[in-house]
Amino acid sequence: MEKVADGSPGRAYAVRAEGLIKRYGEKRALDGFDLAVRRGTVHGLLGPNGAGKTTAVRILSTLSRLDGGRAVVAGVDVAADPRGARRRIGLAGQYAAVDEQLTGRQNLEMFGRLFHLGGRRARLRAGELLERFELTAAADQGADGYSGGMRRRLDLAASMILAPEVLFLDEPTTGLDPRGRGEVWDAVRDMVAGGTSVLLTTQYLDEADRLASRITVIDRGRAIADDTPAALKDTVGGDRIEVVVTHAAELPRAREAVDRVCRGAPATDTAERRVHAPVADRVAALTEVARVLQDEGVQAEDISLRRPSLDDVFLRLTGHGADGDGTDGGGGGAQAVHTGKEIAK
Amino acid sequence: MSTGSRTTTALDGGHARVDGDHAPSGGPHARVDLTVDAADENRARWAVVDTWTLVRRELTHYRRQPVMILWQLGFPIISVLLYGYVFSGAMKPPGGESGGYRDFLMAGMFVMTMSFGFMNTAAAVVAGASKGVIDRFRSMPMEPAAVVAGRGVADLLVACAELAILAATALAMGWRSGGGLTATVGAFGLLLLLRFSLIWVGVWLGLLVPSPEAAGGLYAVAFPLTMISSIFVPTGSMPGWLGTVASWNPISSTGTAARELFGNPVARDGSWIQDHALLMAVVWPLAITAVFLPLAARRFRQLGR
């Protein structure tokens, strides 16, 4: 990383954290955690449950005090000047809520006053944000009647009142249906286009893949990987070709064909009538395998190239799946991820 | 990567400008000037402004949910009617002093309403803490003390409304304050002082209990604590030791002091604490505040652990 003075106006990083330590009794929730978020980007923070994601966000957003290390957010040392940091950050998601007994407009006006804009500017800003987050029609309804997606957008609007340089988004789409997820994603892209830097924690790896240009994986209070999503996937292994045959009986012949073309040993998955193998040249391999299969008269139901997913990366790095898996009542979450993918395509 | 923007709505690129800062400001779509005051010498003024903003928030809750205020104000009215008519026939006017049981009871009902108020405080605090609203406040550049102060001021305003409605009901039932204007106002002042001290108990409990559901269990504690006192029946009618405990219950002092100031029957039991009710109706709330305000403040700071 290049050395950039943290306080300079042209600083390259929105968030710099070095050697963060946070103890809860004997346990070290953060144990020398490092993080660098480039300005104007979305940076994903991924990790299993209890890895320290939430602790990190709480410290960087001044909600918790740190026990060691140094964190500079938007050019301000959060331990030395929490009040200064609070003028330059926004916090939305799991750990910041709106007042459900107020209307959307009343919420934004109240938060605007509490950000010390005064009554008139708070009112104007509320109207502006309601429009921008497409909440104008529901502005004067109670937030308790909002859909999940509307409530999160109101939450985002409240965190954007001072147009902060840095926005912390803590699991912004957890529990939302695919439509709500799409709405929140659009809003986040919108904010980044406006120059805000975002630190995003999420339990949906496809969300990080979609939004983040760089990802830090945290486990046991430390950063165990930090790279672009593409580079992280490369560490798991390159592309693979997958052939699904129509009849299970043809699996051995398909395997032969794939073996002849590809560089590595193919693996067979009988239950799914599938053969897959690593490839070097994606397009050449695809053409070649298709040709050989046709020559051999093997009926293929599907031939595809597959990039490793972030799930593969996650599994490799932490030894277990992302924290949404199987911990919160079964298939609901996984289903939402899947449909989320379909919609966003 | 799919970070490419597919936005159709443009946004304001302007960042918050803080005095003395050279951050970029005023993007093409920022219609509102977002410059905010960052001077530390204005903190006291902002503490007042922030508190008032949060008081308005609480009052808006009541305005938007009239049922909530009906419940809160309806409970004391129903209690007065129940105690005043269901029990009064069985109750002898205490101590042989002039006036019926209802004259004795009314000050007690005022005290009961003030005492139960701490549960409203606790319930509101625990709801704010568990839903994350308090965390949002703490992540903002507002004055942190205003979070608690706003709650307290709003609770006192609601307490005034409760007392006004109770007094109207009591007057309709034939209760009168025989004291002068000053004494009557003084009695209501002591009632509000009790409510003030219990705000800190409520805030402390609200930050202590883990969930809104657990806060509901506070009734199990509040009910006996209110019953073992002189607010419903004279302590002389209880077994000796229980009567002593009841006399020393802080809310008994407020009840007796209010009865004295209203010129209502007191039911003397000859105890020192009852003979000094006016003094103790000031001392007890101050003592409660002295203990629970620091506890509540410490609990609030511990949110930042």
Side-chain angles (χ1 to χ4, degrees):
Chain A
M1 289 170 207
E2 62 266 60
K3 287 278 173 201
V4 177
D6 287 322
S8 71
R11 63 185 173 271
Y13 293 101
V15 177
R16 280 305 286 271
E18 280 158 13
L20 296 191
I21 291 175
K22 180 67 182 175
R23 288 183 216 93
Y24 289 111
E26 289 294 289
K27 190 179 175 289
R28 286 193 168 207
L30 291 182
D31 191 11
F33 175 68
D34 298 323
L35 180 71
V37 177
R38 284 186 169 278
R39 271 173 72 128
T41 64
V42 178
H43 192 111
L45 181 58
L46 306 181
N49 264 341
K53 297 190 298 280
T54 296
T55 308
V57 169
R58 288 184 69 88
I59 282 178
L60 294 173
S61 60
T62 76
L63 288 180
S64 292
R65 285 181 290 273
L66 48 82
D67 295 323
R70 182 161 181 262
V72 176
V73 174
V76 179
D77 186 317
V78 293
D81 183 14
R83 194 178 284 264
R86 287 175 195 145
R87 290 192 197 95
R88 296 168 171 86
I89 62 166
L91 174 64
Q94 212 183 346
Y95 288 92
V98 294
D99 187 330
E100 293 179 2
Q101 294 177 57
L102 301 181
T103 67
R105 191 187 302 280
Q106 284 168 341
N107 263 292
L108 294 182
E109 281 189 25
M110 170 183 71
F111 289 123
R113 285 169 184 273
L114 293 175
F115 273 117
H116 299 166
L117 283 178
R120 194 188 62 85
R121 285 191 295 160
R123 254 190 319 280
L124 289 173
R125 183 65 176 154
E128 201 171 72
L129 287 168
L130 286 165
E131 202 173 305
R132 184 171 132 196
F133 287 88
E134 291 164 26
L135 290 165
T136 309
D140 297 309
Q141 292 165 24
D144 49 0
Y146 282 16
S147 71
M150 286 164 74
R151 208 172 300 193
R152 297 294 169 96
R153 276 185 283 143
L154 179 61
D155 194 32
L156 288 178
S159 65
M160 290 301 289
I161 284 174
L162 286 192
E165 284 182 59
V166 182
L167 181 63
F168 297 100
L169 286 180
D170 196 18
E171 305 200 354
T173 63
T174 298
L176 290 188
D177 60 15
R179 183 185 162 156
R181 284 160 63 83
E183 290 171 2
V184 169
W185 287 346
D186 283 348
V188 172
R189 292 190 181 110
D190 216 34
M191 291 187 283
V192 175
T196 297
S197 316
V198 176
L199 180 66
L200 168 85
T201 77
T202 178
Q203 37 176 319
Y204 302 125
L205 299 181
D206 71 314
E207 181 165 286
D209 209 353
R210 233 166 257 288
L211 293 176
S213 55
R214 201 171 178 92
I215 286 172
T216 297
V217 181
I218 180 173
D219 196 24
R220 295 190 185 89
R222 287 172 156 277
I224 55 170
D226 181 288
D227 220 323
T228 62
L232 284 174
K233 289 175 198 167
D234 283 347
T235 62
V236 182
D239 301 323
R240 299 183 78 87
I241 192 161
E242 269 189 14
V243 176
V244 179
V245 295
T246 316
H247 307 291
E250 290 181 321
L251 267 178
R253 283 167 65 212
R255 188 191 152 89
E256 261 173 54
V258 171
D259 197 18
R260 215 182 305 162
V261 175
C262 299
R263 56 171 180 167
T268 314
D269 183 345
T270 319
E272 295 183 24
R273 306 191 309 276
R274 191 167 61 125
V275 175
H276 54 105
V279 295
D281 184 335
R282 291 161 55 86
V283 178
L286 185 66
T287 329
E288 194 64 9
V289 167
R291 192 182 59 76
V292 173
L293 286 176
Q294 198 168 23
D295 288 353
E296 299 283 321
V298 176
Q299 270 191 17
E301 193 175 283
D302 190 24
I303 306 176
S304 58
L305 284 165
R306 184 171 169 269
R307 287 228 136 119
S309 70
L310 272 181
D311 295 75
D312 301 326
V313 177
F314 201 82
L315 205 61
R316 161 75 65 91
L317 286 170
T318 66
H320 36 96
D323 49 4
D325 296 352
T327 52
D328 55 6
Q335 188 62 41
V337 174
H338 190 70
T339 30
K341 267 179 189 160
E342 320 275 288
I343 297 277
K345 275 170 192 164
Chain B
M1 270 311 298
S2 48
T3 43
S5 165
R6 26 186 193 104
T7 55
T8 45
T9 47
L11 20 81
D12 50 349
H15 285 301
R17 194 171 47 193
V18 175
D19 287 354
D21 202 7
H22 301 288
S25 69
H29 300 279
R31 281 167 290 174
V32 182
D33 174 18
L34 299 176
T35 313
V36 290
D37 175 21
D40 271 346
E41 59 264 32
N42 294 336
R43 282 186 61 175
R45 191 176 86 81
W46 283 118
V48 174
V49 174
D50 291 345
T51 300
W52 179 236
T53 302
L54 291 178
V55 170
R56 285 179 38 161
R57 165 193 180 220
E58 301 297 341
L59 298 182
T60 312
H61 286 171
Y62 285 109
R63 213 172 47 235
R64 284 191 45 79
Q65 305 207 310
V67 178
M68 198 161 87
I69 203 157
L70 281 181
W71 253 115
Q72 208 165 329
L73 298 178
F75 177 73
I77 294 175
I78 290 169
S79 305
V80 168
L81 294 174
L82 281 178
Y83 283 93
Y85 288 112
V86 177
F87 292 159
S88 69
M91 298 287 187
K92 287 196 299 271
E97 294 174 45
S98 62
Y101 176 65
R102 281 202 282 275
D103 282 341
F104 173 81
L105 176 71
M106 288 310 171
M109 300 312 295
F110 293 150
V111 175
M112 181 194 75
T113 306
M114 293 300 100
S115 329
F116 278 168
F118 87 90
M119 287 185 289
N120 297 333
T121 308
V125 170
V126 71
S130 64
K131 282 189 180 154
V133 180
I134 289 187
D135 273 347
R136 181 183 290 287
F137 289 150
R138 292 181 58 242
S139 77
M140 293 169 55
M142 60 179 287
E143 198 55 50
V147 177
V148 176
R151 175 81 255 151
V153 173
D155 282 345
L156 284 179
L157 289 177
V158 171
C160 289
E162 286 175 330
L163 286 176
I165 288 177
L166 265 180
T169 312
L171 286 170
M173 289 169 70
W175 169 82
R176 294 291 178 269
S177 168
L181 180 69
T182 319
T184 306
V185 171
F188 284 114
L190 288 177
L191 288 163
L192 288 171
L193 182 64
L194 176 69
R195 180 70 185 89
F196 172 82
S197 70
L198 293 176
I199 287 168
W200 311 109
V201 179
V203 170
W204 178 69
L205 285 171
L207 294 173
L208 196 67
V209 297
S211 67
E213 291 73 31
L218 291 174
Y219 272 99
V221 183
F223 197 62
L225 282 182
T226 327
M227 293 303 277
I228 305 171
S229 73
S230 67
I231 67 173
F232 301 112
V233 292
T235 52
S237 64
M238 301 176 192
W241 63 273
L242 191 64
T244 309
V245 172
S247 306
W248 283 84
N249 187 334
I251 69 172
S252 296
S253 296
T254 303
T256 304
R259 284 175 184 131
E260 286 176 5
L261 291 168
F262 287 141
N264 292 153
V266 169
R268 298 255 161 231
D269 59 12
S271 64
W272 179 90
I273 183 96
Q274 198 192 41
D275 289 344
H276 296 82
L278 272 176
L279 172 71
M280 292 310 288
V282 176
V283 171
W284 274 128
L286 293 183
I288 293 172
T289 306
V291 172
F292 284 94
L293 192 144
L295 280 178
R298 204 183 69 154
R299 198 78 211 165
F300 191 77
R301 279 196 304 274
Q302 278 175 348
L303 291 175
R305 268 182 315 184

